[in-house]
Amino acid sequence: MKIFNFGSLNYDYVYSVDHILMPGETLASSRMETFCGGKGLNQSVALAKAGAEVWHAGMVGEDGSTLLDMCGKNGVNTSYIRSIPGKSGHTVIQVDKNGQNNILLFGGSNRCFTRDFVDEVFSGFEPGDMMLLQNEVNDIDYIIDTAYQKGMRIAFNPSPFDEAVKKCDLNKVSFLLLNEIEGWQISGAREPEKILKYFAETYPKTAIVLTLGKDGAVYQDGSCRIKHGIYPVKVVDTTAAGDTFTGFFLSAVLQGKTPEEALEIASKASSIAVTRKGAAPSIPTLDEVLHTSFD
Ligand code: RIB
């Protein structure tokens, strides 16, 4: 079974700072580094490193060769990545001394999807294949509707949350992977228990994977609810931790693992990712995850 990921590809300009800038403040950074990232690219790389056969569908600008190379060298199929005139997506990321970040996003080529391009990508896939999507590209409601009509399994990470997510019919989604902030933005509820209740009642056929930071993650579908804790590690940079979790979780699902097993491998992989700098380069291989001791 194939998985293809309609997702962003970004250059991340990462600034090391003492603290995250306050409004009106000017602050010198101690270091600036550039990494390949984008929620889409990170999740494709995580899927591939976790052992899945993954096609990335997306758009880069004239400056996109390093993004294409990053996908290719990590085993992501790039035949549905188009190069178009203009600039690739990029971000400006501040990482503070505790490893926490904030991210300013410029969509660039990620927001130039056309319906012709989307339809062309879908023509290469079959009912039963899985389609993964985040909210860093345009026309996400059309992409979800088309995947559903084709009988595909849809995995959706509604991040970052904005009005575009509200236009999507989440009843069509098989796996919704989100954090508690996105859970609150969609459900209006703050407490995890209430968020989970909202999704169970409103989208009963959609399996939810809710990540809760230091409180771990919860999987919920119509028949079960499973919790998994975190692994204690020294946090260096949290960028792409959620993307690593998503890629490893879905790869495990595609391999027929149980939700318990998928949560465990995803939690271990994202725990390793936060001990390293950058987005895509911080994602571990399956071998590393299996051979790391978390005592
Ligand atoms: O989830 C992390 C990613 O979000 C970064 O790589 C950045 O590009 C933003 O898209």
Side-chain angles (χ1 to χ4, degrees):
M1 181 185 303
K2 297 176 180 174
I3 180 163
F4 75 99
N5 180 13
F6 265 111
S8 59
L9 305 101
N10 292 334
Y11 289 112
D12 291 342
Y13 299 106
V14 181
Y15 297 81
S16 301
V17 289
D18 175 77
H19 58 271
I20 303 293
L21 275 172
M22 292 180 291
E25 183 183 14
T26 301
L27 179 68
S29 60
S30 57
R31 193 181 178 116
M32 197 285 270
E33 292 159 286
T34 307
F35 298 103
C36 290
K39 293 185 195 305
L41 179 149
N42 298 338
Q43 291 179 23
S44 284
V45 168
L47 276 159
K49 284 187 161 182
E53 213 181 336
V54 55
W55 278 251
H56 190 98
M59 291 195 171
V60 294
E62 291 148 357
D63 54 355
S65 61
T66 306
L67 297 168
L68 282 164
D69 289 349
M70 174 57 80
C71 288
K73 81 176 188 211
N74 282 294
V76 176
N77 187 307
T78 58
S79 49
Y80 291 106
I81 302 179
R82 300 283 172 267
S83 294
I84 60 169
K87 277 191 168 299
S88 297
H90 77 255
T91 62
V92 174
I93 303 183
Q94 300 175 49
V95 179
D96 75 10
K97 60 187 179 212
N98 301 315
Q100 299 304 313
N101 67 17
N102 73 4
I103 301 178
L104 175 66
L105 185 61
F106 169 73
S109 52
N110 296 313
R111 304 206 60 87
C112 294
F113 281 26
T114 61
R115 296 209 167 171
D116 283 349
F117 169 64
V118 170
D119 294 345
E120 181 199 331
V121 174
F122 273 109
S123 67
F125 296 87
E126 303 294 332
D129 289 340
M130 186 178 278
M131 191 274 298
L132 169 62
L133 181 68
Q134 314 77 30
N135 186 28
E136 286 188 346
V137 300
N138 58 301
D139 238 355
I140 58 170
D141 53 331
Y142 178 74
I143 294 172
I144 287 176
D145 290 348
T146 309
Y148 187 76
Q149 276 161 19
K150 266 209 99 155
M152 304 187 73
R153 289 198 290 168
I154 301 169
F156 182 37
N157 169 219
S159 179
F161 178 85
D162 64 18
E163 289 300 308
V165 173
K166 291 188 187 166
K167 287 202 231 152
C168 298
D169 183 354
L170 301 184
N171 281 305
K172 295 177 176 170
V173 172
S174 306
F175 293 94
L176 186 68
L177 303 107
L178 71 179
N179 64 26
E180 57 190 319
I181 305 289
E182 291 138 8
W184 161 59
Q185 289 167 318
I186 294 174
S187 70
R190 290 270 186 192
E191 299 88 46
E193 192 58 43
K194 289 188 179 160
I195 295 171
L196 290 164
K197 183 168 182 284
Y198 168 87
F199 282 108
E201 289 173 359
T202 317
Y203 306 107
K205 286 191 273 179
T206 303
I208 307 297
V209 184
L210 181 66
T211 55
L212 301 168
K214 64 179 175 31
D215 292 325
V218 183
Y219 170 89
Q220 171 181 277
D221 65 22
S223 57
C224 70
R225 185 187 286 184
I226 298 151
K227 284 190 170 183
H228 197 284
I230 58 160
Y231 296 92
V233 290
K234 182 170 163 22
V235 176
V236 172
D237 180 357
T238 57
T239 311
D243 300 327
T244 304
F245 187 99
T246 294
F248 273 77
F249 183 89
L250 292 174
S251 174
V253 168
L254 288 167
Q255 290 165 38
K257 306 274 190 212
T258 63
E260 285 96 332
E261 291 168 325
L263 280 182
E264 182 184 347
I265 196 97
S267 302
K268 286 182 172 171
S270 58
S271 296
I272 295 174
V274 300
T275 66
R276 300 171 177 172
K277 281 189 181 176
S282 73
I283 300 169
T285 61
L286 180 60
D287 205 45
E288 285 175 276
V289 178
L290 295 176
H291 291 99
T292 299
S293 159
F294 291 91
D295 302 335

